[in-house]
Amino acid sequence: GTMFVRATKDANDNIHPISISVLLASECETSVQAVMLAEQLCLTAESGANESPLDAAGRITITDGARCLRSRQLAFHPHSHIWRCQHHMKSDLAKRCKASLGIYQELVLLPHGRVEQANLRMEKLPSSSPLRKIPKEELCQAYLPASLHGTTTNNTAEVTNHMMQNARTKQNLFESM
């Protein structure tokens, strides 16, 4: 099955899993919604709060760009922001639109708040670029209201995913413990 991993990094670059779930269905809106609802219930149960601590203006979720992940993230955490994983974007652009790849690499290097410089680079994109269909703030941190603090890939979740590799070979999550 598909493994859904949410992890975070602390100031010392230590990785901490928030939630790890194995989807019994394919990665779709329904299965992702079920995982995010379970996450919300677990994260708010002890405090009695109605809102998830993951739904805050300074929070940024880095995702591979799957539509169902983006859709459910916007529904469950409307105050947090979404960033497309740099590694996944580069890989996709190398296959689909090499003319956009160099410009994208320049965009990723721009720091938070450099909107004018980002706009100049965005204007250079070919009219057929797939980047034109993605919200600017998901591609370039210059448009984000909060900094990424150097994290531009979803490697935090990928590392956690590989740490849980043994769980993928088991019939159920309980057997992997």
Side-chain angles (χ1 to χ4, degrees):
T2 300
M3 190 172 277
F4 185 94
V5 175
R6 189 182 298 269
T8 190
K9 274 182 17 178
D10 64 21
N12 296 320
D13 281 343
N14 295 314
I15 295 173
H16 305 278
I18 294 173
S19 69
I20 301 169
S21 304
V22 175
L23 305 180
L24 299 177
S26 63
E27 187 175 290
C28 64
E29 297 244 352
T30 304
S31 59
V32 171
Q33 180 168 329
V35 168
M36 292 181 95
L37 182 58
E39 251 181 8
Q40 185 168 342
L41 290 172
C42 290
L43 291 171
T44 58
E46 190 173 313
S47 67
N50 290 332
E51 294 180 14
S52 168
L54 300 175
D55 185 27
R59 296 244 182 228
I60 299 170
T61 295
I62 302 175
T63 178
D64 62 7
R67 285 185 194 174
C68 59
L69 293 174
R70 185 177 186 284
S71 166
R72 296 299 83 206
Q73 177 68 20
L74 290 171
F76 276 85
H77 309 300
H79 299 105
S80 65
H81 305 282
I82 297 173
W83 171 266
R84 297 288 181 99
C85 171
Q86 176 183 346
H87 172 75
H88 284 88
M89 285 301 304
K90 284 182 177 180
S91 175
D92 188 44
L93 289 173
K95 294 175 200 164
R96 294 178 54 204
C97 186
K98 290 182 183 179
S100 298
L101 184 56
I103 298 167
Y104 175 72
Q105 289 174 318
E106 290 176 15
L107 284 167
V108 170
L109 294 176
L110 289 175
H112 170 68
R114 301 282 176 93
V115 176
E116 288 180 29
Q117 292 174 354
N119 286 338
L120 291 173
R121 284 168 178 79
M122 290 293 281
E123 289 172 9
K124 294 179 183 178
L125 287 171
S127 58
S128 62
S129 174
L131 297 180
R132 292 193 176 274
K133 297 176 183 172
I134 300 171
K136 293 177 183 180
E137 64 274 7
E138 293 183 22
L139 299 172
C140 178
Q141 65 179 322
Y143 298 109
L144 284 172
S147 174
L148 290 169
H149 303 291
T151 304
T152 59
T153 68
N154 66 347
N155 285 350
T156 304
E158 297 289 348
V159 167
T160 306
N161 191 1
H162 288 291
M163 288 168 41
M164 296 296 299
Q165 192 68 34
N166 189 40
R168 292 177 175 272
T169 64
K170 304 299 178 184
Q171 281 279 350
N172 57 53
L173 194 55
F174 178 77
E175 289 179 14
S176 68
M177 293 183 190

